[in-house]
């Protein structure tokens, strides 16, 4: 009986030592397990990153194409156009020329679409002219209407986010942060809530 107690104590002690050593080593093995589990998703992240890069390159090439067309358009309404694009959230220097290029390309595309449609459908000369002019005008106005819509949406988001930002600013300043630090903190917090 005495040996049974000694064996039971030895087995219990060895199990206790193995359990304690498992707890000590476990964080390292957990880290290795997490890294191993992240490996299959790493490939997904790489393909997602490649897809983002491909989309960014295609967007940049489209912007360069539209900018080439828009650079030819100058004129009076540039101050109004710049203000409209700034209010809509387009702050780049080339935003105005890209916008004008989009208007030209869409108007040209709708013009040719109107010509094609007018040739397929039986109409009088005036009706054809009206269809082509209407399609061209629609193509010219679509970018403006889209930017105007985005501007209104952005202004609504700003109006909704402003009270929270001001409250957070007051809390930060009352907590002892300087004005610059409070502005940085409010900017970080509001970036999570609102993308404007």
């Amino acid at each position: 009986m005495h040996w049974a107690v000694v064996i039971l104590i030895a087995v219990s002690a060895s199990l206790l030592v193995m359990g304690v050593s498992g707890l000590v080593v476990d964080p390292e093995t957990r880290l290795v397990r997490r890294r191993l589990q992240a490996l299959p998703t790493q490939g997904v992240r790489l393909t997602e990153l490649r897809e983002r890069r491909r989309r960014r390159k295609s967007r940049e090439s489209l912007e360069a194409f539209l900018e080439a067309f828009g650079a030819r358009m100058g004129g009076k309404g540039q101050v109004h156009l710049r203000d409209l694009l700034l209010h809509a959230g387009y702050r780049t220097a080339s935003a105005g020329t890209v916008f004008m290029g989009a208007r030209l390309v869409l108007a040209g595309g709708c013009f040719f679409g109107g010509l094609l449609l007018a040739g397929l459908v039986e109409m009088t000369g005036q009706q054809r002219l009206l269809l082509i002019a209407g399609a061209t005008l629609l193509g010219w106005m679509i970018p403006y209407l889209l930017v105007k819509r985005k501007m209104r949406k952005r202004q609504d988001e700003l109006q909704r986010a402003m009270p929270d930002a001001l409250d957070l600013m007051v809390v930060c300043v009352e907590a002892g942060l300087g004005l610059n630090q409070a502005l940085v903190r409010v900017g970080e917090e509001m970036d999570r809530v609102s993308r404007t």
Side-chain angles (χ1 to χ4, degrees):
M1 175 93 167
H2 183 50
W3 286 101
V5 172
V6 170
I7 292 175
L8 187 60
I9 290 174
V11 169
S12 298
S14 64
L15 287 175
L16 181 67
V17 167
M18 287 179 7
V20 168
S21 67
L23 289 175
V24 171
V25 178
D26 195 38
E28 196 173 311
T29 56
R30 268 192 257 143
L31 179 64
V32 170
R33 257 190 226 126
R34 269 189 268 137
R35 286 184 179 171
L36 286 174
Q37 289 172 349
L39 283 177
T41 61
Q42 199 78 19
V44 173
R45 290 182 190 155
L46 286 176
T47 57
E48 184 179 313
L49 184 63
R50 286 184 187 129
E51 180 64 24
R52 283 185 194 166
R53 285 181 184 161
R54 188 189 62 76
R55 277 186 269 149
R56 186 179 339 127
K57 283 182 182 179
S58 63
R59 187 184 70 228
E60 288 172 355
S61 62
L62 177 66
E63 285 179 2
F65 174 74
L66 294 176
E67 190 174 354
F69 273 101
R72 297 189 173 124
M73 292 292 293
K76 305 177 199 177
Q78 293 300 320
V79 174
H80 171 69
L81 176 63
R82 188 177 61 237
D83 289 343
L84 176 73
L85 292 171
L86 280 173
H87 289 301
Y90 299 108
R91 296 183 187 94
T92 61
S94 64
T97 53
V98 168
F99 176 77
M100 292 306 290
R103 285 185 106 174
L104 283 174
V105 167
L106 274 173
C110 288
F111 172 77
F112 287 116
L115 274 176
L116 181 68
L117 187 62
L120 293 175
V121 179
E122 283 190 37
M123 297 180 174
T124 64
Q126 286 181 332
Q127 289 173 336
R128 285 188 178 147
L129 186 62
L130 190 61
L131 175 68
I132 294 169
T136 306
L137 182 63
L138 179 68
W140 180 258
M141 290 304 294
I142 285 175
Y144 177 77
L145 295 174
L146 290 175
V147 168
K148 195 78 163 168
R149 180 176 174 218
K150 185 170 181 180
M151 180 190 77
R152 274 190 242 111
K153 183 179 175 186
R154 186 168 181 264
Q155 285 176 342
D156 290 342
E157 286 180 16
L158 283 171
Q159 285 177 349
R160 278 194 301 268
M162 187 61 72
D164 293 334
L166 290 176
D167 288 344
L168 190 57
M169 176 76 77
V170 169
V171 168
C172 289
V173 170
E174 286 178 350
L177 290 177
L179 187 59
N180 290 341
Q181 293 170 327
L183 285 171
V184 169
R185 179 70 179 178
V186 168
E188 290 170 356
E189 292 297 322
M190 293 311 292
D191 191 38
R192 296 178 191 161
V193 177
S194 175
R195 297 308 256 161
T196 55

